[in-house]
Amino acid sequence: MKQDRIFDGLAQRFQRSIYDDPRGLIRLAILQDDLQPLVMHRSSQPLRILDAGGGLGQMAIWLAQQGHHVVLAEPSGDMLQRAEAAIVEQGLQDSIHLMQASVQELQPKDCGTFDLIIFHAVLEWLAEPRAALEQLLHCLTPGGSLSLMFFNHHSTVMRRLIVGDLDTVRRGDIASNGHQGLAPISPLKPEEVLGWLNELGLELGTWSGVRCFYDYMYHNVRKTAKLEDVLPLERLYSQQEPWRSLARYQHMLCRKP
């Protein structure tokens, strides 16, 4: 039986393997591109934002730097400690409130409701992702926005095919059992998640692929590729099919009527 994955003891590996790597920089750039019209150059009141499963705090820090108030909720104490250190280093303690809580523990009666919910790279680590998403939406105000990014099932299949792991693809057994480091337990199909969003009454605005080709590059090529050459093409293909639907992650920015 699958269980939710919490990353106590893996924060340093996350930092090294994701955030200190071109993969993390590409991911952050595409997300910021999509979110900029919503969070920057606002003349009205700052947004109240929930970063659910906010990890090491990169998005929360960026959002606070745009003048918004952020609640960063993260179940891993290890990750939360590192996030706090980064927040203090940036002098943003007054703009970011930390909560040690899982997605399922977030309730409007405890944390209120939010103009924007950030829910990035969390669904794929949950045993029951749709139920968690539905519960989280109780914390979103009418007219508010959900920024949802998740690990793409189709990309996982493609990666298996490229390396010749055909038996695994034939069996349909491509997900992690939850005990293999940073391999997600519940990769999701974009069309499935789009169906969920429609059922839950959300209106899709922006839909982007995050890392449409970088993860498929030959390893020796990727080691020498320059980010300034890769990133403009990642941006170009991020909202174009078929590249978008094969991207490592899918980002869907939605509005609650």
Side-chain angles (χ1 to χ4, degrees), residues 38-247:
L38 185 61
V39 304
M40 298 187 72
H41 310 300
R42 290 180 55 85
S43 58
S44 57
Q45 292 295 317
L47 297 175
R48 188 166 191 264
I49 301 174
L50 171 64
D51 190 359
L56 297 172
Q58 280 84 356
M59 284 302 300
I61 288 171
W62 178 71
L63 291 163
Q65 288 171 338
Q66 313 315 314
H68 304 293
H69 303 303
V70 185
V71 173
L72 192 166
E74 168 59 48
S76 166
D78 186 18
M79 301 280 273
L80 212 56
Q81 285 182 355
R82 288 176 176 266
E84 183 176 22
I87 290 164
V88 170
E89 183 179 350
Q90 295 293 324
L92 294 169
Q93 306 94 303
D94 293 338
S95 299
I96 303 175
H97 173 69
L98 300 176
M99 289 180 61
Q100 186 166 1
S102 68
V103 175
Q104 295 87 342
E105 292 172 324
L106 297 171
Q107 301 287 343
K109 63 182 178 63
D110 299 320
C111 59
T113 57
F114 298 86
D115 305 304
L116 170 64
I117 293 180
I118 304 294
F119 198 31
H120 293 170
V122 179
L123 275 186
E124 61 266 25
W125 302 106
L126 303 179
E128 300 292 341
R130 190 203 184 283
L133 175 61
E134 183 173 1
Q135 181 173 331
L136 182 63
L137 290 176
H138 293 304
C139 295
L140 185 61
T141 59
S145 297
L146 169 71
S147 173
L148 176 66
M149 184 181 74
F150 58 90
F151 197 86
N152 185 9
H153 169 92
H154 298 324
S155 174
T156 302
V157 173
M158 179 62 82
R159 288 285 295 269
R160 295 283 192 180
L161 292 170
I162 287 172
V163 300
D165 193 0
L166 306 185
D167 287 340
T168 297
V169 174
R170 288 190 191 101
R171 292 195 307 269
D173 184 25
I174 66 166
S176 163
N177 62 12
H179 301 286
Q180 299 178 3
L182 302 183
I185 64 173
S186 301
L188 295 160
K189 298 177 181 179
E191 60 271 24
E192 179 180 24
V193 176
L194 285 170
W196 294 352
L197 296 173
N198 184 59
E199 292 165 3
L200 294 170
L202 295 180
E203 299 171 349
L204 178 64
T206 302
W207 173 17
S208 298
V210 179
R211 301 206 310 262
C212 294
F213 68 87
Y214 183 78
D215 289 33
Y216 300 118
M217 294 174 76
Y218 295 123
H219 184 64
N220 61 325
V221 174
R222 201 164 70 184
K223 285 199 306 184
T224 59
K226 295 180 179 179
L227 183 63
E228 58 265 31
D229 295 329
V230 169
L231 187 53
L233 288 172
E234 284 285 358
R235 283 180 158 133
L236 176 66
Y237 290 121
S238 66
Q239 295 181 19
Q240 295 185 31
E241 294 293 354
W243 324 111
R244 175 174 64 184
S245 290
L246 284 174

Side-chain angles (χ1 to χ4, degrees), residues 3-17:
Q3 294 183 338
D4 293 353
R5 188 70 194 277
I6 296 175
F7 294 100
D8 280 326
L10 286 174
Q12 185 173 357
R13 186 174 173 188
F14 252 96
Q15 182 74 49
R16 182 179 65 252
S17 300

